Amino acid sequence: MHFEITHEFDVRLDALELAVLSPDLGAMMVPFLATTSVASVETIEHVIANGELRRVLRFQANAPLAVFRGYDIAREALSWEERSVYRLADHVATWSVSPRQQFRKYFSASGTCRLEAAPEGRVRKTVEGDIEIKAGVLSSLAGRMALVEIRKIYDAEAETLRRLSTL
């Protein structure tokens, strides 16, 4: 299932890029995640070298998606890592989401995130990606519900970036 999420910011590109590069991004997102199923975000890796930021964020959900309520789902199944490489030269990141090893056969997601100048001194951040959920007859429904959660997470990230870019 393909998705695209766009946010616009009332800051210059260099200010937003500094926010994207912040080692505090993950931790600062947590208060904005109140409307999601995410309980915590931990920065596992944050390295800037050779014109790239390599970052790994670990997310832990506090409850399964509504479609899976009533099923016995291990807490480990509700944890995933987002790995990204952001290239300063072209303001583009590639990212992938990895659940724990034993759950990778059921879920995969990857895509890009790009920052670009927009009219009137604004910046547009566009995230594009594809997710695949293999849950039998529930796959389509689970995919649509996951997209709702993904949107909420990127909205929380956008609010965090707004805060960071104006500090």
Side-chain angles (χ1 to χ4, degrees):
M1 185 174 296
H2 185 76
F3 69 91
E4 182 175 312
I5 299 169
T6 300
H7 291 96
E8 288 207 5
F9 300 84
D10 290 321
V11 296
R12 295 182 333 268
L13 180 60
D14 60 342
L16 188 63
E17 188 165 65
L18 282 175
V20 167
L21 297 174
S22 173
D24 300 323
L25 179 64
M28 287 185 69
M29 279 177 60
V30 174
F32 297 106
L33 292 167
T35 64
T36 72
S37 63
V38 175
S40 65
V41 181
E42 177 185 4
T43 301
I44 304 301
E45 179 181 3
H46 185 274
V47 177
I48 300 174
N50 302 317
E52 294 182 338
L53 164 64
R54 294 185 173 281
R55 177 174 21 228
V56 178
L57 298 177
R58 181 175 296 143
F59 292 79
Q60 178 65 56
N62 57 14
L65 294 172
V67 71
F68 295 116
R69 287 203 179 104
Y71 291 89
D72 186 25
I73 297 181
R75 182 161 171 80
E76 300 86 46
L78 304 175
S79 176
W80 64 94
E81 290 183 352
E82 178 187 274
R83 299 177 176 279
S84 61
V85 177
Y86 179 81
R87 292 174 309 282
L88 289 126
D90 58 5
H91 314 292
V92 174
T94 54
W95 58 266
S96 63
V97 172
S98 299
R100 301 237 180 183
Q101 182 65 38
Q102 65 267 37
F103 303 107
R104 290 183 185 162
K105 62 184 174 184
Y106 303 111
F107 179 86
S108 65
S110 61
T112 61
C113 173
R114 71 180 173 280
L115 302 180
E116 56 193 347
E120 300 175 17
R122 297 171 58 92
V123 178
R124 182 175 301 115
K125 178 179 174 277
T126 305
V127 177
E128 288 189 69
D130 292 288
I131 64 169
E132 182 179 10
I133 297 176
K134 297 175 186 169
V137 296
L138 295 176
S139 294
S140 179
L141 177 60
R144 288 192 305 274
M145 293 181 81
L147 284 177
V148 169
E149 285 294 305
I150 288 167
R151 174 64 181 200
K152 290 178 184 178
I153 291 168
Y154 279 114
D155 287 348
E157 181 187 65
E159 287 306 312
T160 306
L161 290 170
R162 282 186 180 92
R163 175 161 294 164
L164 281 167
S165 64
T166 58
L167 292 178

